[in-house]
Amino acid sequence: MISVIMGSASDKAIGEKVVKILKEFDIPYEVKVISAHRALKVLQDYVATTDNKIFIAMAGKAAHLAGVIAGMTVKPVIGIPVKSSTMDGLDSLLSTVQMPKGIPVATVAIDGGENAALVAISMLAIEDPALREKLEAYREKLEADVVQADKDLDL
């Protein structure tokens, strides 16, 4: 199972992007709202007790959620920097990606919920041949969509 953690309920639109892809691949997940700053003890308890294999964490502005989780576990953490109102998400991107040596966070693009889910799926697919086949089929469809868009181009 994958933990999808939002730092705030205002991150729901990005969480929905993650969940949409996880559902498409039939990956079990649970979604939480837990602030690394306002509910640290709740976050610590959750990370310490969950059996989930991968964390996907999204936050805006200071965006420390993914890094705090990575400091609590050796399980993979994927961070999604969320676009904020003040710096268009650059603050969130830097807060998520600039981790100290030894405590990695795999970071996707600002608001990149779909790619965060796909990174988690590719991690799970390493040991799951059926999931790997689904992921390969997904990529083939992406390619077919591009080929079709080229054929449909009328300029």
Side-chain angles (χ1 to χ4, degrees), residues 123-154:
M123 290 174 178
L124 296 173
I126 291 169
E127 295 186 7
D128 184 336
L131 186 56
R132 187 169 42 255
E133 286 179 19
K134 279 179 144 177
L135 191 55
E136 288 168 352
Y138 178 87
R139 293 269 183 103
E140 288 169 6
K141 183 181 180 323
L142 291 177
E143 180 180 10
D145 290 348
V146 170
V147 169
Q148 188 62 48
D150 179 57
K151 289 178 181 175
D152 294 344
L153 189 61
D154 184 23

Side-chain angles (χ1 to χ4, degrees), residues 38-67:
R38 297 176 295 244
L40 181 61
K41 289 180 184 177
V42 175
L43 182 63
Q44 289 170 323
D45 289 344
Y46 177 73
V47 171
T49 59
T50 186
D51 290 331
N52 296 345
K53 295 180 179 182
I54 299 169
F55 294 92
I56 297 175
M58 64 205 75
K61 297 189 178 179
H64 296 133
L65 181 60

Side-chain angles (χ1 to χ4, degrees), residues 15-78:
E16 289 172 343
K17 292 178 181 183
V18 175
V19 167
K20 180 181 177 192
I21 297 291
L22 295 177
K23 283 181 177 179
E24 186 175 334
F25 282 84
D26 298 316
I27 303 296
Y29 65 89
E30 68 179 338
V31 179
K32 299 279 190 182
V33 174
I34 310 174
S35 169
H37 300 113
R38 297 176 295 244
L40 181 61
K41 289 180 184 177
V42 175
L43 182 63
Q44 289 170 323
D45 289 344
Y46 177 73
V47 171
T49 59
T50 186
D51 290 331
N52 296 345
K53 295 180 179 182
I54 299 169
F55 294 92
I56 297 175
M58 64 205 75
K61 297 189 178 179
H64 296 133
L65 181 60
V68 170
I69 293 169
M72 296 178 190
T73 184
V74 296
K75 295 177 182 178
V77 178
I78 303 163

Side-chain angles (χ1 to χ4, degrees), residues 2 6-7 10 12 14 44 50 60 63 87 92 94-95 98 103 106-108 116 123 128 136 140 147:
I2 294 177
M6 298 176 284
S10 64
K12 183 179 178 185
I14 308 305
Q44 289 170 323
T50 186
M87 298 180 73
S92 306
L94 295 174
S95 295
Q98 292 287 39
I103 309 295
T107 306
V108 297
M123 290 174 178
D128 184 336
E136 288 168 352
E140 288 169 6
V147 169

